[in-house]
Amino acid sequence: MKSLTLLRHAKSGLDNPALRDFDRPLNARGQKAARKMGAHAHDRLMIFDWVVASPALRVEETLGIFLAELEPPRPDPVWDRRAYLASAATLLDIIRETPDDAKHLLLAGHNPGIEELALRLAEGQRDTVYASLEEKYPTGALACLRLDCISWSDAGFGTGTLERFVRPRDIDPTLGPEY
């Protein structure tokens, strides 16, 4: 069994039209959400062996704040350009390349790919956790899955069970519902 946590970047600023999408930073609300989600991961004793992320600024900032809340040692992220605005299929390819000695992978990126990946990994699951994910995967949210495989290369759609889906507003109501 492998554990996979999917983190969507926190809320970014849209107020500077001169910036490329890739270079958009987090806004104050996004920074707060990233900190709260990192604290939540800390409280849940999450330990990541491997971290892969989109190199977009908003993901980089989200991950920096999020990981700072965790106990050391923290793995250095692998910045994978393919994860920038990637499809679920591309993200699955990235997952399959994870070293097998890693038990828990944190993958940070963007919608719609992250959401589609979570839904497709756990396709066939019908419960309240899955229904919550189907409703919306907002910025800053975490989806925690258990994958029924020994090697990451065997991960595939339908091989996962969504164990937990946490949105920033679930931890701090001031971070929703329009979030």
Side-chain angles (χ1 to χ4, degrees), residues 29-157:
R29 191 174 184 150
Q31 292 170 3
K32 181 179 179 183
R35 202 167 13 271
K36 295 275 186 175
M37 296 305 285
H40 172 77
H42 175 271
D43 293 347
R44 300 288 263 176
L45 304 175
M46 290 185 179
I47 299 171
F48 304 103
D49 305 297
W50 197 254
V51 178
V52 179
S54 161
L57 181 59
R58 61 192 178 275
V59 177
E60 185 179 328
E61 289 181 346
T62 299
L63 203 49
I65 295 167
F66 178 89
L67 291 174
E69 295 293 325
L70 303 179
E71 293 293 327
R74 301 173 203 95
D76 292 327
V78 173
W79 303 105
D80 193 325
R81 182 76 180 192
R82 295 174 298 165
Y84 175 62
L85 302 178
S87 68
T90 299
L91 294 171
L92 182 58
D93 287 343
I94 292 169
I95 290 167
R96 288 177 174 157
E97 295 170 7
T98 302
D100 279 332
D101 60 342
K103 294 180 177 90
H104 194 166
L105 167 63
L106 172 62
L107 177 60
H110 312 266
N111 257 4
I114 287 282
E115 179 176 3
E116 182 185 353
L117 177 65
L119 290 168
R120 293 191 64 195
L121 285 170
E123 63 192 9
Q125 183 174 332
R126 295 292 174 249
D127 59 17
T128 56
V129 178
Y130 191 87
S132 179
L133 172 63
E134 278 184 312
E135 182 183 310
K136 184 177 182 184
Y137 199 128
T139 53
L142 280 176
C144 302
L145 297 108
R146 186 183 69 250
L147 301 183
D148 188 20
C149 57
I150 305 238
S151 173
W152 289 103
S153 62
D154 295 330
F157 298 135

